[in-house]
């Protein structure tokens, strides 16, 4: 079994998540080669073949051009699997490669199974087993599902170049919003999710945060709905936190949220849905109506 | 300008899911269905563009599935789409993302859409493949995961959401397909007059057999609950008792009450 791993590079840096691809390949027991649109001045710690295109020439995000480069590497390497991270780069590029090669794609793999792959579905509540119908397949792996592994060594570089074919013009990056609240330093975080029902209920969650001497956090839907400011958002596109205590109030536990808080020392979740995926990471799942339980707990703490 | 928005009807994700008889997808029984949340942002953005362009634009909404998906289509019409296409398919859940994209491509192929909107992914399957695959099959440019969208003079400026809150800004000329992320805009609620108006809008039904030309490239073999990791404690019962239990746990297992 041979894998071509598609590494990631952004704002002039090799992304650490690239090493999760080696964790996946290790579990598969597969040979590895790495593809990267990056820089010769930042070679990954890997002793195998590196198909390298220059990000200054090819752009960090130029999917039509990157597709051509991946296809070139596939032709040279002849892999059984082309493996991406399920990220803003991977989920964008992987289907283009699969379409060009006319092969199966399996998205957001969380485990390798006999003859196939396990993927999440229904917002992380359920699982499916999927088998590719083509011999060769494109895979994207879920962030954090496979532990990062640094193989070590210095790669043998095979340089790739391609003529620009894309019609896309990259205008630049916009930095993340200023953080008014640095949740990464908080010892206690009490977060509000959609299950709190409405904006008017946010102070009830904030009151529990205050009673526990902590900060208010939030899941993505309540930030999108403008119930809570963006600098309180916990998750992949917000802040990654690891407090001593994390209390999730009415948060079902989308993977993007779990990835941002599952390293907390102790997690209490309050949710009326016993099957909510937050239960997978919680030390304690309180099955209750958030708006009944939280005020009662706050009142008890004040006594 | 011709605009297409592709939507999916999904179950309420708060539901309890049970495998169907074949054991490869959920059983429809006792589930409430609604428009995929990502697609609500796609419809809203398409309607805003339609409003920006006025009568020089026509906005079509498309959905694939059994008769119940017409409910989601009607909502999109009430939000402001001009006309609808219902691709009738009672076995859509057995098709893989490549086939779904191929069905839409077969419909859209000779229609000359300048802009196509889709959700970034569905809430139930979440493959994030259909939009990009559709763009590839139609041979049009594509940008994914949009949290910002502007159109002017035959080009769009799109803001893509990247990890850690960073955004990447790109410019693309039409024809183009974009996939919409949560938070792109604030989807409107259909008003009663618009719901009434939508009843007179045209819904064209097309049997899927007329559009399906591709074989599946993946097969689902099982739909199941995650294996319980088993470490978590589940507490149920009277709220007063639950509070006392949680206070006990906080004292015993954490240092926050000392």
């Amino acid at each position: 079994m041979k894998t071509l791993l598609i590494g990631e590079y952004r704002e002039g840096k090799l992304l650490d998540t690239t090493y999760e691809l080696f964790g996946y390949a290790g579990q598969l027991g597969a040979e590895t080669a790495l593809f990267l649109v990056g820089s010769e001045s930042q070679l990954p710690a890997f002793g195998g073949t590196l198909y390298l295109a220059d990000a200054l020439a090819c752009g960090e995000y130029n999917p039509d051009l990157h597709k051509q480069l991946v296809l070139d590497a596939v032709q040279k390497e002849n892999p059984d699997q082309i493996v991406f991270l399920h990220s803003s780069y991977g989920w964008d590029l992987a289907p283009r490669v699969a379409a060009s090669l006319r092969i199966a794609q399996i998205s957001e793999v969380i485990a390798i199974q006999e003859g196939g792959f396990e993927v999440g579905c229904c917002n992380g509540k359920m699982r499916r087993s999927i088998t590719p119908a083509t011999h060769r397949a494109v895979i994207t792996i879920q962030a954090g599902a496979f532990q990062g592994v640094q193989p070590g060594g210095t790669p043998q570089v095979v340089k790739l170049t391609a003529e620009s074919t894309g019609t896309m013009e990259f205008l630049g990056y916009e930095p993340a919003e200023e953080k008014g609240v640095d949740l990464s330093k908080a010892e206690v975080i009490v977060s509000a999710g959609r299950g709190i029902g409405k904006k008017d209920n946010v102070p009830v969650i904030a009151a529990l945060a205050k009673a526990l001497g902590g900060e208010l956090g939030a899941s993505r839907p309540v930030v999108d709905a403008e119930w809570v400011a963006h600098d309180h958002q916990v998750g992949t596109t917000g802040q990654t936190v690891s407090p001593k205590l994390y209390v999730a109030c009415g948060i079902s536990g989308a993977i993007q949220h779990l990835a941002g808080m599952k390293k907390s020392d102790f997690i209490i979740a309050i949710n009326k849905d016993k099957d909510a995926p937050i239960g997978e990471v919680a030390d304690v799942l309180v099955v209750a109506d958030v708006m009944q339980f939280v005020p009662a707990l706050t009142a008890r703490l004040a006594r | 300008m011709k605009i297409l928005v592709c939507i999916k009807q999904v179950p309420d994700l708060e539901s309890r899911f049970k495998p169907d008889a074949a054991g490869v997808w959920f059983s429809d029984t006792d589930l409430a269905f609604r428009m995929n949340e990502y697609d609500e942002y796609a419809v809203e953005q398409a309607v805003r563009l339609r409003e920006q362009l006025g009568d020089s634009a026509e906005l079509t909404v498309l959905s694939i599935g059994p008769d119940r998906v017409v409910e989601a289509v009607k909502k999109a019409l009430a939000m402001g789409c001009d006309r609808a296409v219902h691709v009738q398919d009672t076995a859509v859940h057995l098709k893989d993302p490549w086939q779904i994209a191929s069905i839409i491509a077969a419909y859209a192929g000779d229609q000359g859409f300048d802009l196509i909107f889709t959700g970034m992914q569905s809430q139930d399957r979440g493959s994030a493949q259909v939009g990009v695959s559709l763009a590839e099959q139609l041979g049009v440019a594509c940008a994914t995961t949009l949290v910002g969208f502007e159109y002017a003079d035959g080009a769009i400026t799109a803001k893509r959401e990247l990890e850690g809150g960073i955004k990447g800004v790109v410019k693309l000329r039409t024809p183009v397909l974009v996939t919409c992320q949560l938070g792109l805009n604030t989807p409107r609620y259909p008003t009663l007059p618009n719901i009434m108006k939508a009843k007179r809008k045209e819904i064209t039904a097309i049997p899927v057999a007329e559009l399906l030309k591709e074989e599946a490239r993946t097969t689902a073999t099982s739909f199941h609950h995650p294996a319980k990791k088993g470490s978590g404690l589940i507490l149920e019962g009277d709220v007063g008792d639950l509070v006392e239990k949680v206070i006990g746990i906080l004292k015993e297992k954490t240092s926050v009450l000392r």
Side-chain angles (χ1 to χ4, degrees):
Chain A
M1 173 74 76
K2 269 168 92 171
T3 54
L4 177 67
L5 312 177
I6 311 299
E8 296 197 14
Y9 181 90
R10 186 174 303 140
E11 294 188 284
K13 290 194 185 73
L14 174 73
L15 299 188
D16 260 356
T17 45
T18 296
Y19 293 108
E20 293 179 21
L21 297 163
F22 289 100
Y24 167 84
Q27 272 196 28
L28 200 63
E31 289 175 49
T32 52
L34 184 65
F35 168 93
L36 186 70
V37 180
S39 163
E40 259 188 302
S41 65
Q42 280 202 53
L43 293 178
F46 163 58
T49 304
L50 171 65
Y51 294 94
L52 182 70
D54 184 16
L56 289 176
C58 300
E60 292 181 3
Y61 177 73
N62 186 343
D64 291 327
L65 185 57
H66 289 202
K67 176 179 78 175
Q68 293 307 326
L69 293 164
V70 172
L71 294 176
D72 189 10
V74 167
Q75 202 175 14
K76 291 183 162 80
E77 183 66 20
N78 198 21
D80 302 288
Q81 285 184 16
I82 303 131
V83 189
F84 296 78
L85 293 159
H86 197 71
S87 63
S88 62
Y89 181 77
W91 68 57
D92 184 283
L93 187 53
R96 305 178 200 251
V97 171
S100 292
L101 292 170
R102 304 193 64 79
I103 58 174
Q105 181 187 340
I106 299 176
S107 291
E108 207 167 6
V109 166
I110 52 180
I112 300 161
Q113 294 177 324
E114 184 70 41
F117 303 90
E118 189 173 52
V119 304
C121 63
C122 297
N123 241 1
K125 274 174 100 157
M126 301 295 293
R127 300 282 182 266
R128 292 203 301 159
S129 302
I130 311 279
T131 311
T134 55
H135 165 71
R136 183 183 268 174
V138 165
I139 305 295
T140 69
I141 60 170
Q142 187 181 74
F146 297 90
Q147 187 87 40
V149 176
Q150 286 209 12
T154 307
Q156 294 97 55
V157 175
V158 178
K159 285 190 188 171
L160 302 179
T161 52
E163 289 300 312
S164 184
T165 53
T167 55
M168 184 176 289
E169 188 186 343
F170 186 77
L171 302 181
Y173 291 106
E174 198 174 279
E177 285 172 45
E178 282 291 311
K179 284 181 206 161
V181 190
D182 188 359
L183 294 178
S184 66
K185 294 201 171 63
E187 295 206 340
V188 176
I189 297 171
V190 180
S191 283
R194 186 152 34 190
I196 67 168
K198 54 183 179 181
K199 187 175 186 175
D200 292 350
N201 289 336
V202 172
V204 175
I205 309 302
L208 177 59
K210 190 161 178 243
L212 288 166
E215 296 281 358
L216 176 70
S219 70
R220 176 174 195 136
V222 307
V223 171
D224 283 343
E226 298 180 353
W227 295 357
V228 175
H230 179 264
D231 56 1
H232 291 269
Q233 187 177 321
V234 174
T236 321
T237 53
Q239 302 190 48
T240 299
V241 301
S242 51
K244 286 184 179 163
L245 173 65
Y246 190 90
V247 185
C249 306
I251 295 176
S252 65
I255 175 65
Q256 294 80 3
H257 188 79
L258 301 185
M261 49 65 76
K262 67 182 179 192
K263 290 192 180 134
S264 305
D265 291 348
F266 199 79
I267 299 169
I268 299 179
I270 302 125
N271 207 299
K272 65 178 190 314
D273 181 1
K274 203 173 162 177
D275 293 333
I278 191 84
E280 286 175 39
V281 300
D283 296 284
V284 178
L285 174 64
V286 179
V287 184
D289 181 323
V290 172
M291 295 317 298
Q292 287 180 9
F293 177 82
V294 170
L297 181 60
T298 308
R300 173 66 178 77
L301 286 165
R303 241 163 54 199
Chain B
M1 175 184 269
K2 290 185 76 173
I3 311 164
L4 176 69
V5 58
C6 306
I7 67 170
K8 181 177 184 181
Q9 193 192 42
V10 298
D12 181 344
L13 274 301
E14 302 266 305
S15 315
R16 226 165 234 192
F17 294 100
K18 290 188 296 269
D20 61 11
V24 295
W25 194 228
F26 52 72
S27 158
D28 268 18
T29 322
D30 303 329
L31 294 180
F33 286 84
R34 45 164 293 168
M35 194 193 300
N36 177 41
E37 197 175 3
Y38 296 84
D39 301 344
E40 290 188 358
Y41 292 89
V43 171
E44 176 63 33
Q45 203 62 47
V47 170
R48 286 184 190 191
L49 179 63
R50 164 77 176 76
E51 289 167 347
Q52 178 189 337
L53 298 169
D55 286 339
S56 66
E58 187 192 48
L59 171 55
T60 303
V61 56
L62 176 147
S63 192
I64 308 173
D67 286 345
R68 62 170 158 73
V69 309
V70 170
E71 282 312 307
V73 164
K74 282 181 178 164
K75 181 176 180 183
L77 290 172
M79 286 172 77
C81 295
D82 297 306
R83 54 187 294 273
V85 173
H86 171 209
V87 179
Q88 298 167 310
D89 186 3
T90 53
V92 66
H93 60 287
L94 298 175
K95 298 191 171 62
D96 76 345
W98 176 259
Q99 285 179 302
I100 305 282
S102 78
I103 292 165
I104 306 171
Y107 166 74
D110 55 1
Q111 303 265 333
F113 290 106
D114 303 286
L115 252 164
I116 302 177
F117 292 86
T118 72
M120 180 247 150
Q121 62 181 353
S122 62
Q123 290 171 284
D124 56 356
R125 272 205 194 163
S127 79
Q129 288 181 34
V130 173
V132 189
S133 293
L134 172 58
E136 286 292 311
Q137 294 184 34
L138 292 173
V140 302
C142 169
T144 58
T145 333
L146 263 62
V147 290
F149 176 92
E150 279 174 39
Y151 171 83
D153 305 324
I156 65 157
T157 306
K159 216 179 263 186
R160 299 187 65 232
E161 182 179 70
L162 312 177
E163 288 71 20
I166 304 162
K167 297 174 184 83
V169 187
V170 292
K171 191 171 179 181
L172 295 147
R173 296 206 70 78
T174 58
V176 62
L177 182 148
V178 295
T179 80
C180 302
Q181 170 64 304
L182 306 177
L184 169 62
N185 48 47
T186 308
R188 69 193 68 192
Y189 290 103
T191 60
L192 189 58
N194 285 339
I195 292 169
M196 299 312 288
K197 224 161 93 185
K199 287 184 195 297
R200 295 194 298 274
K201 291 179 179 173
E202 173 198 340
I203 302 177
T204 307
I206 306 175
V208 71
E210 290 181 16
L211 299 172
L212 181 66
K213 312 271 190 294
E214 295 278 329
E215 296 285 322
R217 293 178 179 176
T218 59
T219 314
T221 55
S222 157
F223 176 84
H224 51 274
H225 284 277
K228 280 281 167 216
K229 299 209 172 111
S231 58
L233 177 67
I234 297 178
L235 300 177
E236 291 178 273
D238 170 72
V239 168
D241 295 343
L242 290 174
V243 166
E244 291 310 318
K245 281 182 190 160
V246 168
I247 293 283
I249 289 166
L250 286 175
K251 282 183 178 156
E252 193 188 329
K253 304 274 191 184
T254 77
S255 55
V256 301
L257 292 188
R258 280 173 216 148

